[in-house]
């Protein structure tokens, strides 16, 4: 009769997520053992500072600064330190020693994922990362396993809680970008340096991970076209709502044929976009995340929940711990990450989408005809035009001509044609200024 | 060097779902092989009638009426015949022969699940059933694996597309129950005999499967409290919308302590309920399904998509085929279904929830006080009261007293107290009739 010893779990990091993982492992140890079919224990917790005050049930004697020794005596290693190094080196050591590894480190995966998966594949270890995208939301397993027999066509994701919170405040509370960012900071939804979030870097890392999985293709984070939300204005958000749209920062991954070269590939991009207010993603409020998936057979699916938070993210990490532990009990090598499709990542110029362009123009007869001709001459087809006269500006010299606002919705157009149109608009004598250019997605 | 032979897949049934599974296996064979890491082939397809006309790419020579021989020469058996027999016997034969089995048969699982899982466990085979609940929506894998380290507190599911379609038509088009059912039949959303759907039997089977997984407890379908939608009226749906609610047929699974006995257990039930129009489930339209999960650490999650349809359901089946095939390639026994918690399924009398009760009462002074006292004397606390005078009925004898409609919302109350209150209301001299009693969920 085989007597199983307890499975030993090493935790690297005891911060927001790590402390929660430790507490749950300690509190629900018996319950987890029953689900796994074997005993499980927290072997140790690596931190930087042994004496830092910690609000956790971790016994002092489990803390260590010697991550390497801890790894060598463990079956499962959970990396929750964040950052590229020493996380990368420690994960490689763990995998090489045959341990299964769980990480929530999207930055590391989007930068060094291929190297890590390669190392795991060589020894038959497994690298789990459900928590790296969408926090508590199960999205990695559905993409990797549930949709493994289907063909993913497109993903539209709200994968950054901070920016969704900010845009939602602007939309529902009428706050300016600055005010909304201040609210987010005050409520703990934004970091001291919010660049990674508002600049779209965090979303781009997650887009890279989602696209790699969905399209069986290596997509590094720096191949992702990235635009943050810093230039989104309250005026844009208000105007969008009036026109039946909501502004969201979307991570978009889609199959695409480059019209220039005829090459089949994928587009992976992060940018603010208008989506119809009836789209399921439009109802994702606050710091919540959601991932909308379109697959050939399954049709439209949506996965919704808390995208961050220590305890929420710990749920996803612990799901991976149970998976890894079950695999240890039943044996068998891991499943290699599948990148067989190896599709090219196409440049942003390859996409076609709809656009909404807002212009301040001279309020004179014939202007609309001039503008319409300008769009047409650049191959961009206009679908809708809304015109409103701007109230006279009291600060303006009385001799100045009055201005009108035009909101133009286009049919599908290429980025190149659209860019040429906008360039021509800015130099047109009847256009005062181009005040907003937004892509429209989810139609 | 090991040379893998192709994995052989037997298909039992080539109906709505089976034909789609066969076509995808045939069309995407190379793509699937790449994802699995081994060749895969459709070994044969068992049907009742070899000569029935079929709109599928299945070559005639793969069809057979000898399911048993087909099973014995296969590695993976996909049961898409439906019904209890011969499905049960064939699945048991397949598992006993060591094959992994995939099924979408909720009726069979909810009736003979324990026997099938037991048979699988004994030989280390695996039984997959992602398609049995929520069609294309990944919900089984998230519950079994992603949330394996968390504690599910409650599930609210829209798991029957036919009834959601009908209730949605009533809500958005103002159709009566009869009209909406006729529309559903005309559009192919309802079967010739709609009893399984409108009677809540299909939803109860799915509730049993979800509760068993979420609570690690065997819940047979006949332990599920079941009420269908046949008694829901257009008046209820319209009144609900006015009051800020939507009527949905919900499958509800929750942890509960029986107030009578103090016993910790689970409540599993299917019944029409009001949910706030701001709840994510309120936005689930048409024949779509969604499962809303509340877990201790993860918080609220929602899984949304197509709950049925041949090609959509085939997506979930093929995901299971790939999982089973990967397991064949890497080896190792299956993971036994976990029922270690073994919680009692509590009777409907154990639940407490809010209720909305609509009464037709005499339009006289003092009636409200009488009714309020009646609720109070039965231990049910009233939260809101809305009164409206019913327009005089021209058919009514002119001497008759005019009537008023009262809509009463309660605080949380027990089913027993509520039932006693309703019984007392029906015999009260100031009450003409109790026109609607609905539970309110999702608050
Ligand atoms: N927070 C979330 O909501 C969330 C959501 C999804 C994913 N994630 C990801 O989860 C990971 C962890 O995030 P977090 O918010 O928990 O981070 P955190 O609060 O900053 O905690 C980091 C922990 O790692 C330890 N650590 C850092 N560098 C170390 C080193 N060189 N050696 C040993 N220990 C070291 C720290 O030790 P000390 O305590 O001694 O300083 C601390 O305990 C990141 O990859 C993040 O992207 C977080
Ligand atoms: N349809 C959906 O949208 C959906 C969604 C989720 C789950 N499901 C489940 O999936 C399963 C299949 O549903 P379906 O709609 O595809 O059923 P279906 O259209 O009625 O097809 C049943 C198939 O099984 C074959 N069959 C039946 N009894 C047989 C027997 N004794 N021996 C050999 N073959 C037999 C039939 O053969 P013939 O062709 O010769 O008659 C037919 O090909 C059911 O358990 C159902 O609950 C269906």
């Amino acid at each position: 009769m085989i007597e199983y010893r307890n499975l030993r779990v090493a935790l690297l990091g005891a911060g927001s997520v790590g402390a929660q993982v430790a507490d749950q492992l300690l509190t629900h140890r018996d319950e987890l053992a029953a689900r796994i079919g074997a005993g499980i224990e927290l072997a140790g917790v690596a931190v930087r500072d042994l004496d830092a005050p910690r609000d956790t049930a971790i016994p002092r004697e489990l803390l260590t600064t010697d991550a390497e020794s801890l790894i060598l005596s463990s079956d499962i290693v959970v990396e929750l330190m964040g950052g590229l190094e020493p996380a990368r080196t420690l994960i490689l050591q763990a995998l090489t020693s045959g341990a299964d590894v769980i990480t929530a480190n999207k930055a590391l995966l989007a930068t060094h994922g291929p190297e890590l998966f390669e190392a795991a594949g060589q020894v038959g270890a497994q690298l789990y990362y459900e928590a790296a995208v969408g926090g508590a939301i199960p999205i990695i397993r559905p993409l990797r396993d549930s949709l493994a027999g289907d063909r993913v066509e497109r993903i539209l994701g709200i994968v950054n809680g901070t920016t969704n919170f900010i845009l939602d405040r602007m939309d529902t509370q009428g706050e300016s970008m600055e005010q909304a960012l201040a609210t987010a900071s005050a409520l703990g939804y934004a970091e001291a340096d919010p660049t990674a979030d508002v600049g779209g870097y965090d979303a781009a890392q997650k887009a890279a991970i989602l696209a790699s999985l969905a399209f069986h293709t290596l997509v590094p984070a720096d191949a992702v076209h990235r635009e943050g939300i810093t230039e989104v204005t309250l005026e844009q958000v208000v105007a969008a709502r009036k026109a039946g749209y909501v502004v969201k920062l979307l991570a978009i991954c889609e199959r695409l044929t480059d019209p220039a070269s005829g090459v089949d590939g994928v587009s992976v991009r992060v940018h603010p976009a208008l989506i119809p207010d009836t789209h399921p993603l439009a109802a994702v409020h606050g710091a919540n995340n959601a991932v909308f998936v379109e697959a050939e057979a399954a049709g439209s699916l949506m996965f919704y929940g808390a995208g961050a938070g220590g305890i929420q993210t710990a749920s996803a990490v612990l799901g991976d711990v149970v998976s890894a532990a079950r695999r240890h009990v039943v044996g068998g090598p891991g499943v290699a990450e599948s990148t067989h499709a190896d599709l090219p990542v196409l440049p942003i110029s390859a996409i076609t989408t709809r656009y909404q362009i807002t212009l301040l123009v001279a309020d004179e007869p014939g202007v609309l005809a001039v503008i319409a001709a300008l769009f047409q001459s650049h191959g961009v087809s206009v679908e809708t035009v809304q015109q409103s006269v701007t109230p006279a500006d009291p600060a303006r010299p009385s001799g100045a001509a009055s201005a009108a606002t035009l909101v133009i919705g286009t049919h599908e157009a290429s980025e190149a044609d659209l860019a040429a149109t906008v360039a021509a608009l800015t130099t047109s004598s009847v256009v005062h200024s181009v005040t907003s250019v937004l892509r429209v997605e989810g139609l």
Side-chain angles (χ1 to χ4, degrees), chain A:
Chain A
M1 201 180 122
I2 303 165
E3 201 171 314
Y4 284 112
R5 61 173 179 75
N6 280 343
L7 289 167
R8 291 169 56 86
V9 178
L11 199 53
L12 312 182
S16 311
V17 184
Q20 293 288 342
V21 170
D23 287 357
Q24 304 257 343
L25 271 174
L26 294 167
T27 320
H28 295 316
R29 186 176 156 165
D30 293 345
E31 175 76 23
L32 291 171
R35 295 185 189 177
I36 292 163
I40 187 160
E41 74 179 64
L42 181 58
V45 182
V47 293
R48 263 179 310 215
D49 179 359
L50 291 177
D51 300 316
R54 295 177 195 281
D55 179 20
T56 142
I58 304 172
R60 184 69 159 73
E61 66 271 21
L62 286 186
L63 294 180
T64 174
T65 53
D66 183 1
E68 297 194 25
S69 305
L70 176 61
I71 286 172
L72 290 177
S73 68
S74 301
D75 305 295
I76 296 170
V77 174
V78 182
E79 185 276 303
L80 295 167
M81 304 190 311
L84 299 187
E85 287 291 355
R88 174 182 152 274
T89 303
L90 293 171
I91 290 181
L92 286 172
Q93 281 174 0
L95 291 170
T96 310
S97 82
D100 284 341
V101 172
I102 291 140
T103 181
N105 195 329
K106 54 230 160 195
L108 180 63
L109 287 170
T111 316
H112 296 296
E115 181 190 19
L116 303 177
F117 291 116
E118 169 76 22
Q122 275 181 1
V123 296
Q126 187 90 43
L127 182 58
Y128 298 87
Y129 53 100
E130 183 61 76
V133 183
I137 308 171
I139 179 62
I140 302 301
R141 222 173 244 102
L143 280 178
R144 193 171 68 175
D145 298 330
S146 309
L147 289 167
D150 205 334
R151 183 183 151 95
V152 175
E153 300 288 351
R154 187 151 74 138
I155 295 176
L156 298 181
I158 295 173
V159 292
N160 181 272
T162 308
T163 48
N164 199 61
F165 179 87
I166 290 171
L167 294 172
D168 193 41
R169 286 297 286 196
M170 295 168 74
D171 182 33
T172 61
Q173 311 293 320
E175 292 183 355
S176 69
M177 169 67 64
E178 272 181 6
Q179 288 170 323
L181 177 55
T183 310
S185 303
L187 296 176
Y189 289 123
E191 317 238 340
D193 176 1
T195 314
D197 294 318
V198 299
Y201 296 91
D202 173 79
Q205 289 166 355
K206 292 166 178 167
I209 294 171
L210 291 176
S212 299
L213 255 180
F215 303 133
H216 307 275
T217 286
L218 287 179
V219 180
D222 56 17
V224 177
H225 173 87
R226 182 193 46 74
E227 300 169 34
I229 63 163
T230 41
E231 290 177 17
V232 176
T233 64
L234 178 58
E235 288 64 42
Q236 286 180 318
V237 173
V238 170
R241 190 46 95 170
K242 263 192 210 145
Y245 294 103
V246 183
V247 181
K248 294 286 184 192
L249 182 70
L250 295 185
I252 302 175
C253 316
E254 64 183 345
R255 292 184 189 271
L256 204 70
T257 303
D258 190 339
S261 60
V263 169
D264 285 334
V266 295
S267 169
V268 191
R269 54 193 203 267
V270 169
H271 57 69
L274 301 178
I275 52 168
D277 57 14
T278 52
H279 193 284
L281 287 175
V284 178
H285 296 292
N288 284 306
N289 283 16
V291 181
F292 189 82
V293 180
E294 289 169 28
E296 185 181 85
S300 298
L301 300 170
M302 191 173 81
F303 303 84
Y304 163 95
I311 188 166
Q312 291 87 346
T313 306
S315 170
V317 171
L318 282 160
D320 282 349
V321 169
V322 171
S323 286
R326 283 178 179 159
R327 207 174 74 82
H328 259 270
V329 174
V330 302
V335 175
E337 206 68 7
S338 132
T339 57
H340 62 86
D342 202 16
L343 296 165
V345 180
L346 301 177
I348 189 76
S349 59
I351 76 164
T352 64
T353 186
R354 295 170 193 230
Y355 298 84
Q356 197 188 73
I357 300 118
T358 310
L359 305 170
L360 214 58
V361 298
D363 186 19
E364 298 163 8
V367 165
L368 200 54
V370 173
I371 304 244
L374 189 150
F375 272 84
Q376 205 197 339
S377 70
H378 288 89
V380 177
S381 164
V382 171
E383 191 187 15
T384 60
V385 180
Q386 266 189 300
Q387 174 160 8
S388 60
V389 176
T390 311
D393 181 349
R396 202 159 31 182
S398 61
S402 73
T405 299
L406 282 188
V407 181
I408 295 170
T410 75
H411 285 288
E412 292 238 327
S414 76
E415 284 272 324
D417 289 347
L418 197 278
T421 308
V422 172
L425 284 169
T426 53
T427 59
S428 161
S429 63
V430 299
V431 174
H432 294 336
S433 60
V434 178
T435 54
S436 166
V437 179
L438 283 170
R439 299 186 188 91
V440 183
E441 305 281 348
L443 286 172

